[in-house]
Amino acid sequence: MKTWDGATAVVTGASSGIGAAFATALAERHCNLILVARREHRLRKLATDLEHTFGVRARILTADLSIPADVERLVAVLSADDNPIDLLVNNAGFATHGPLVDDDPARMREEIAVNITAVAELTRAILPDMVRRGAGAVVNIASTAAFQPIPFMAVYGATKAFVLSFTEALWGELEGSGVTALAVCPGATDTEFFDVAGEAASVGRRQTAAQVVAKALGELDRRAPRPSVVSGLANAVSARLPRYLPRRTTIRLTRGLVAAK
């Protein structure tokens, strides 16, 4: 198990759920943290708890990644930091549920901005220094939604397909450089995600955030991490299933699973 002793990790969406679980697991491995989210009070409490419990440094940066100016400011702060970043966890993201014709255009833009644009821009900002040093990792949280179209969650599924493809392509570019890129694909996870997306978006048995993080860090512990991993055996089976079904059948199946209940 890597300790990440003295390393520095940036975790977005760190105020709850998978992001907070990543922060806790990394602090347990003696990793210093830069925690990013919108909710300052939650970030501050988490940072204080981790510093007291594990003796690490935990810095907070508040930002709304749906706002381009906030992303630009975050990039500027991280780029100016004297401490190199050893691990970037692009975890922030959200989903909307319902027919596209009823989607609020502003909300749709925010979903794309957080799930795609911020991921790409933060990765682009932090990656060059990792490559120069020949060390580091980028972990992007995708989803089992990435493996097939999702009617009634069309935008979300498409954004996660982007994250999966983007990250696996980076893995190919970085192979042999000492830097790795890993896409982590959870299924339904017991977090605040469904407070936004709604219960109709939940399919299958939920994992805990800690289980998802353990899968991700376990993969990074490998001598040669793979480009992507699916968290949970049942999720791994369902992610592979669309390869063997006609496309129309796959779309109809997913439509039935996530249609308004």
Side-chain angles (χ1 to χ4, degrees):
M1 181 180 78
K2 292 181 182 177
T3 64
W4 297 92
D5 195 0
T8 298
V10 175
V11 182
T12 70
S15 60
S16 65
I18 293 173
F22 255 111
T24 301
L26 289 167
E28 189 175 7
R29 293 181 179 215
H30 312 294
C31 185
N32 298 314
L33 298 161
I34 300 173
L35 306 176
V36 181
R38 294 172 302 159
R39 296 175 290 190
E40 181 178 357
H41 66 289
R42 284 205 180 186
L43 282 182
R44 196 169 299 281
K45 183 180 186 309
L46 177 62
T48 300
D49 289 347
L50 295 180
E51 286 181 336
H52 288 169
T53 303
F54 300 108
V56 299
R57 296 191 306 276
R59 177 184 179 189
I60 69 169
L61 295 173
T62 56
D64 183 338
L65 300 184
S66 71
I67 301 173
D70 274 23
V71 177
E72 291 174 10
R73 177 174 54 83
L74 181 59
V75 165
V77 170
L78 295 175
S79 299
D81 201 318
D82 292 334
N83 295 319
I85 294 166
D86 303 286
L87 174 62
L88 169 63
V89 180
N90 280 310
N91 164 73
F94 72 91
T96 54
H97 179 274
L100 185 68
V101 295
D102 295 334
D103 210 356
D104 174 29
R107 189 63 168 162
M108 184 172 67
R109 284 192 294 270
E110 291 175 353
E111 190 172 359
I112 293 168
V114 175
N115 295 6
I116 293 181
T117 308
V119 170
E121 291 190 5
L122 288 173
T123 300
R124 174 61 183 85
I126 291 173
L127 195 59
D129 184 61
M130 289 184 180
V131 172
R132 279 192 294 270
R133 291 184 286 115
V138 176
V139 175
N140 293 330
I141 304 303
S143 167
T144 52
F147 294 96
Q148 64 283 302
I150 311 288
F152 301 106
M153 297 182 72
V155 173
Y156 177 73
T159 65
K160 291 305 181 179
F162 171 89
V163 172
L164 177 60
S165 178
F166 173 73
T167 310
E168 290 187 329
L170 280 182
W171 181 94
E173 292 182 13
L174 296 167
E175 190 174 17
S177 70
V179 183
T180 194
L182 173 67
V184 180
C185 302
T189 308
D190 193 14
T191 68
E192 295 177 4
F193 176 91
F194 297 105
D195 292 347
V196 177
E199 290 299 319
S202 181
V203 176
R205 184 176 180 180
R206 296 186 189 180
Q207 287 193 299
T208 67
Q211 287 174 313
V212 174
V213 171
K215 181 68 174 181
L217 293 181
E219 188 63 31
L220 290 181
D221 286 342
R222 292 165 57 108
R223 172 174 285 186
R226 291 167 289 184
S228 60
V229 291
V230 178
S231 182
L233 179 59
N235 292 329
V237 171
S238 67
R240 287 184 172 86
L241 188 60
R243 300 179 187 179
Y244 306 104
L245 295 175
R247 202 62 169 169
R248 284 182 293 183
T249 301
T250 297
I251 294 168
R252 288 165 179 159
L253 282 172
T254 57
R255 180 180 64 196
L257 289 170
V258 301
K261 297 181 177 72

